[in-house]
Amino acid sequence: GKGTLSPDGDAASRLNDTIQPAPTGFGTPDLGGWSFLGGEATYKLLDRSLIPAMTSLVMGLRVYPGNTSLPITNTLNLWSVQVFSPGDHNETIVNFTAKFYRTGLGGVPVLGRLQNALIQPVDPMVSRDVPTIQPLSIFFKAVEDVPAGGSIDVEASRVFDFGEQCGAVDLDDGYYVTGPVPAVHRLPRIVSCTSYRDSGQTAGPYNIARIF
């Protein structure tokens, strides 16, 4: 119930005196935020609405099959989900994209956080006149199963550059020695690595590496 949008469009400036924790419990987003066009269903938060950090949002869609619907076993029946949110002062649009096959409960996408994420450089030296180019070792624990067609994004700040074509391979065999839990496991299979820029950027470093 607190008005946070200032006349110049800065919402954060009016949150300085907001010290109470975010409300907990269950709620239902306003259904007025839904819109549909062809095979796309979009939900947009209504004006002056927000979702607090660390909040879980569950969206359910009921799709009725028709004569032209593809069976769930058809590899062309690939679904996708995209999340867009304003960045700092609405200057940056942060987005998340995932594709999945709807093959029962295991095919339902859950946008969970990774646990124990660690990015380990080989050389910790700071780049000066010449950029430091080196491989990175990446470790994480997935909270949910990643279905077929899934991908992992490694997103760095804009001063880092994975190059126009990134590369991803398994670590040396020594990292995967069997032993007590937790053990380090390889990804099921690394198909490719594709570099991207931040959303809306047409020039500059490729600071996002998407591993398929």
Side-chain angles (χ1 to χ4, degrees), residues 106-189:
V108 177
V110 180
L111 309 186
R113 292 175 175 266
L114 298 178
Q115 294 181 349
N116 305 329
L118 172 64
I119 299 180
Q120 187 179 64
V122 174
D123 184 358
M125 295 299 293
V126 177
S127 296
R128 298 190 184 278
D129 296 334
V130 179
T132 299
I133 302 176
Q134 60 179 311
L136 301 174
S137 299
I138 301 174
F139 305 87
F140 64 89
K141 180 180 179 181
V143 181
E144 293 88 16
D145 291 336
V146 179
S151 61
I152 299 169
D153 280 10
V154 180
E155 183 174 347
S157 61
R158 291 184 184 175
V159 297
F160 291 88
D161 190 357
F162 288 110
E164 189 172 354
Q165 181 59 55
C166 60
V169 296
D170 288 333
L171 298 173
D172 294 336
D173 291 340
Y175 284 96
Y176 307 105
V177 175
T178 58
V181 178
V184 178
H185 300 279
R186 292 178 174 85
L187 293 176
R189 187 176 71 152

Side-chain angles (χ1 to χ4, degrees), residues 3-207:
T4 60
L5 191 63
S6 60
D8 59 355
D10 183 8
S13 63
R14 292 193 176 181
L15 295 177
N16 295 332
D17 60 342
T18 304
I19 59 175
Q20 65 270 22
T24 58
F26 294 91
T28 302
D30 194 314
L31 297 180
W34 282 107
S35 61
F36 303 91
L37 178 62
E40 296 183 0
T42 303
Y43 185 83
K44 182 178 181 180
L45 288 177
L46 301 183
D47 188 29
R48 299 180 183 273
S49 300
L50 61 84
I51 300 175
M54 303 303 293
T55 298
S56 297
L57 185 62
V58 179
M59 294 291 187
L61 291 177
R62 179 175 294 176
V63 180
Y64 295 95
N67 294 331
T68 59
S69 298
L70 295 174
I72 61 175
T73 55
N74 192 317
T75 56
L76 296 178
N77 194 357
L78 181 64
W79 293 45
S80 65
V81 59
Q82 293 180 301
V83 179
F84 299 88
S85 61
D88 296 335
H89 303 287
N90 293 334
E91 293 180 355
T92 304
I93 299 297
V94 180
N95 66 78
F96 174 88
T97 302
K99 295 182 179 180
F100 63 99
Y101 288 101
R102 182 64 177 90
T103 54
L105 293 178
V108 177
V110 180
L111 309 186
R113 292 175 175 266
L114 298 178
Q115 294 181 349
N116 305 329
L118 172 64
I119 299 180
Q120 187 179 64
V122 174
D123 184 358
M125 295 299 293
V126 177
S127 296
R128 298 190 184 278
D129 296 334
V130 179
T132 299
I133 302 176
Q134 60 179 311
L136 301 174
S137 299
I138 301 174
F139 305 87
F140 64 89
K141 180 180 179 181
V143 181
E144 293 88 16
D145 291 336
V146 179
S151 61
I152 299 169
D153 280 10
V154 180
E155 183 174 347
S157 61
R158 291 184 184 175
V159 297
F160 291 88
D161 190 357
F162 288 110
E164 189 172 354
Q165 181 59 55
C166 60
V169 296
D170 288 333
L171 298 173
D172 294 336
D173 291 340
Y175 284 96
Y176 307 105
V177 175
T178 58
V181 178
V184 178
H185 300 279
R186 292 178 174 85
L187 293 176
R189 187 176 71 152
I190 298 177
V191 178
S192 63
C193 182
T194 306
S195 301
Y196 293 92
R197 296 186 177 99
D198 265 346
S199 178
Q201 302 298 312
T202 57
Y206 292 86
N207 61 311

